[in-house]
Amino acid sequence: MPAYRVRRRMAGFTALGGTVVTFVVLAATTTAAQSLITAEAGHRQVMLSPATRAGGADPHVGWRRSRALGLPFAGSLLRAVKLPARGPHFVTWDYNRHASPSPPSRRYGTDRLIRVILRVSAAYSRAHPDAPRLVIGDLSLRHGGSFGTGAHASHQNGLDVDVYYPRLDRAERAPLTVGEIDHGLAQDLVDRFVRAGAQFAFVGPNTGLRGRPGVVMVWPHHDNHVHVRLRAG
C-alpha cells in the first residue's frame, strides 16, 4: 500500500450544540497518486467531444447522427450538424459579402462531413504551421435542398463543401485570381481531402492542380476553390 505524506490543514464548522468540529485534509503526493491523477486526466480526455479529440475547432459542436437523402443536386439533409463560424484551424467565408464569417444558414452538413473538415484542417495546420487557416465556404442548408436561383446546383444533401485555395499573401480570404494562389499548399490541401475519403474534388481548369484520376476532376468556375464531395453512406 503506498505511503502518503500528510499535510494537516485545520478546517472546521460549527455543529449542532455549538461544538466546533475539525478535520484533516490529506494530500497524496506519491508517484502512485500521481499515476491515478494522470489516469483520471486520460479518462476525461476520452470523454471530450469528437471535434476536440480530432484537433478540431469547437468542443461545442452539436454532434448527432445525420443522414444525406437523395442526390447532391436533388436531395435533402436530416439531423444536420453546423460547422462553427471559425476555429483554430479554419475560418468561414461568405462569397456574397466577400467577408468572414459565412452565414450560419450555409454551414450545415452531415456529421461525417464536419468531422472530415475538422480533421483535415487540423492536420493541414500541423503540417504547415506558418500557413493561414483554411478558408471554408458553403456547405449545405440546414434541411438541404436548393440554395435558390443563381446559386449552387449541388450542395443539397450535406456531403459538399467549398474550400478556398490558400493565398500567397497568407490572407485568410478567398483568392480573386489564380496568381494569388499558393499552388504548393493548394495541391497539398486537395491531396488531404482525397486521402480523407472524398468521392470527388473539383478543381479549376487554370489552377494546374491534379490528383487521383476519377476523383480529382477539372471543372469550370473552380479556379479559386476546391469543391469537395464525400461519398454517400
Side-chain angles (χ1 to χ4, degrees):
M1 181 174 180
Y4 289 86
R5 188 179 69 195
V6 176
R7 180 172 65 235
R8 295 182 179 274
R9 186 172 69 211
M10 303 304 292
F13 59 91
T14 302
L16 291 176
T19 302
V20 175
V21 180
T22 61
F23 56 90
V24 176
V25 178
L26 301 180
T29 59
T30 65
T31 302
Q34 290 299 320
S35 297
L36 289 173
I37 294 170
T38 302
E40 175 63 20
H43 174 70
R44 288 198 302 270
Q45 175 67 19
V46 170
M47 298 303 291
L48 290 174
S49 74
T52 302
R53 295 200 305 270
D58 190 333
H60 304 295
V61 173
W63 295 107
R64 53 185 178 171
R65 183 74 66 182
S66 308
R67 285 189 64 193
L69 303 176
L71 300 172
F73 46 85
S76 58
L77 176 58
L78 186 64
R79 296 188 298 274
V81 175
K82 184 169 70 174
L83 182 72
R86 63 181 58 83
H89 311 303
F90 72 91
V91 298
T92 58
W93 184 259
D94 180 3
Y95 75 90
N96 288 314
R97 295 187 300 114
H98 304 287
S100 180
S102 66
S105 63
R106 305 172 83 95
R107 285 193 259 117
Y108 286 93
T110 61
D111 60 308
R112 186 159 56 94
L113 178 63
I114 302 302
R115 293 178 201 280
V116 167
I117 293 170
L118 296 179
R119 284 200 304 269
V120 169
S121 62
Y124 173 88
S125 179
R126 289 193 298 269
H128 308 288
D130 297 326
R133 290 178 292 181
L134 292 188
V135 180
I136 308 296
D138 283 347
L139 283 73
S140 295
L141 302 176
R142 183 171 185 174
H143 301 292
S146 174
F147 275 78
T149 305
H152 305 285
S154 57
H155 288 254
Q156 291 195 26
N157 66 348
L159 296 175
D160 295 66
V161 59
D162 290 338
V163 184
Y164 292 95
Y165 303 127
R167 292 172 55 120
L168 284 169
D169 63 7
R170 299 300 191 255
E172 294 179 340
R173 54 189 299 116
L176 298 177
T177 67
V178 172
E180 293 179 340
I181 297 170
D182 185 318
H183 290 269
L185 289 179
Q187 184 66 66
D188 181 72
L189 180 63
V190 171
D191 294 342
R192 288 179 185 277
F193 274 109
V194 171
R195 291 197 298 270
Q199 180 183 18
F200 298 114
F202 301 106
V203 299
N206 299 305
T207 61
L209 299 173
R210 296 292 182 267
R212 187 180 301 170
V215 177
V216 179
M217 313 279 285
V218 176
W219 210 259
H221 311 300
H222 287 74
D223 277 343
N224 73 339
H225 71 279
V226 55
H227 176 163
V228 176
R229 176 175 298 160
L230 299 188
R231 192 179 304 277

